[in-house]
Amino acid sequence: MANRTVPQNYDGVANGDIPIQRLAELESHMRRLVEDPNEPIDAELFFHIELQLTDSNVFTLLENLLPSLRLILDTTNQDPTPLLSLATRLMAPLSLSHCLNIVDWDSIVVALKSPVPGAVLLALGIVQKATRDIEDIRLLSNHPEVLDEILQVWLANPDVGASSQANNVLDELLTADCPNLPENAPPVNGHFLGIAHEMPKSRFYGDGVIWRYMFQQRRGLSIISALCKPEIPTRVTGYAQSRLLRILPRLVHLNYRAVCEIPFPDLLTMPEPLRARVGTGLLQWAALNMVDMTDVILPYILTGFFEAFVSIMRISNRVHEKDELVRTFMKAATEQYAWLEQTLRTLPDRTIEEEAEPLSIYINQLLN
């Protein structure tokens, strides 16, 4: 075996194993930043240290680096991205309870409101840890102010990275918190139910506390409805509508009653004949009454929603009540949107070969 070349200028040891290059230099630099907030941040040095971190060596570094990072972040007027990135990496292997010994819930709310994407991502990374344990999900549900801000980031933050991460956090929270998680299903068009990761094969069953906050309580639902259909639409409205439509098919798969049976009709305004026919739910409201069809982009996103929806419903857990709801909903949709039936009937031609025939049969059952 060839000898491994190891740089000779290591000057810090994190865990008694492989030393971390330039660690002492970083510690000295951070001391200067604490003493003088105007000291220029050496972004390259922070990045160099971050690249060397592993789950096994960060624990030794936490005690030395995190206190200084917090002091610098509280005082600096410079771009904090290098510091936030290092802090995120340092806290990655920690549990939620361990993180809450370092930062409190109020600090997480402040970070979620920050215009700096790195601060938002750090806060989301901490909240995401709640998905590992049902007790942590219950703890998080006691802080609806945090969930409020996650909804704001998901639907309204202009930074795509922050919004996408908020979407992922909500997806994982709702999956872990689902009282009756459906069985795994095969891929749809090469994606597992439209997301990048598979649902865990063995897991605890949730209490539904996050589901109730988002869909069965006025607080969470009012944020969604206000951002997705305000009295005066803004550029943020388009973001919010497209982001909601993209996640809805998966939510219906996970827990259709929570998404399709909403107890606050005043928050989801619909024409009464339509409401009487399809019911009051976030699904029905978003797909049949939310989107401005004169918009340039949103009708295309709505088309993608319906294609994803029927593809996922075909392989989702089938029960009579749910099948009837989907059939009634799709009948109303094809009557409202003249283009939809033809779009769906040609969908099997645009899907993978092994999915085409069963998808075509399912679509014919829905539309006939």
Side-chain angles (χ1 to χ4, degrees), residues 30 33-38 41 46 65-81 83-84 87 102-104 106-108 110-111 114 116 119 122:
M30 291 176 66
L33 288 169
V34 170
E35 296 168 359
D36 180 8
N38 294 318
I41 294 175
F46 278 92
L65 298 185
L66 269 184
S68 295
L69 281 172
R70 290 187 63 185
L71 289 172
I72 298 166
L73 287 168
D74 286 341
T75 59
T76 187
N77 292 318
Q78 304 177 62
D79 179 6
T81 300
L83 291 83
L84 292 166
I102 302 170
V103 297
D104 57 19
D106 289 342
S107 298
I108 293 173
V110 170
S114 172
V116 180
L122 175 58

Side-chain angles (χ1 to χ4, degrees), residues 109-122:
V109 170
V110 170
L112 288 169
K113 291 181 176 180
S114 172
V116 180
V120 178
L121 292 173
L122 175 58

Side-chain angles (χ1 to χ4, degrees), residues 317-336:
N317 55 318
R318 303 286 296 275
V319 295
H320 179 73
E321 179 188 36
K322 182 178 178 182
D323 283 348
E324 286 301 307
L325 186 151
V326 171
R327 187 175 293 110
T328 300
F329 166 71
M330 289 304 303
K331 180 67 173 175
T334 53
E335 291 178 5
Q336 180 166 321

Side-chain angles (χ1 to χ4, degrees), residues 22 28 57 130 169 186 202 215-216 220 225 241 250 253 307 336:
R22 301 177 67 187
S28 176
N57 66 22
V169 170
S202 96
F215 307 114
Q216 301 296 310
S225 63
Q241 292 184 358
R250 172 162 166 75
H253 164 74
E307 292 181 345
Q336 180 166 321

Side-chain angles (χ1 to χ4, degrees), residues 206-278:
D207 297 328
V209 289
I210 308 299
W211 286 91
R212 288 194 290 276
Y213 159 81
M214 285 184 65
F215 307 114
Q216 301 296 310
Q217 295 174 6
R218 182 173 287 273
R219 179 167 184 160
L221 191 64
S222 63
I223 294 174
I224 296 173
S225 63
L227 289 173
C228 289
K229 196 166 185 179
E231 292 184 7
I232 303 176
T234 66
R235 185 180 65 169
V236 170
T237 306
Y239 296 154
Q241 292 184 358
S242 63
R243 292 165 182 176
L244 176 62
L245 286 170
R246 287 191 179 103
I247 199 175
L248 269 178
R250 172 162 166 75
L251 296 184
V252 176
H253 164 74
L254 288 175
N255 190 349
Y256 73 94
R257 285 195 182 96
V259 184
C260 300
E261 299 174 4
I262 301 295
F264 305 107
D266 60 305
L267 293 178
L268 304 177
T269 57
M270 299 169 62
E272 284 307 316
L274 180 62
R275 187 191 305 279
R277 181 179 184 183
V278 299

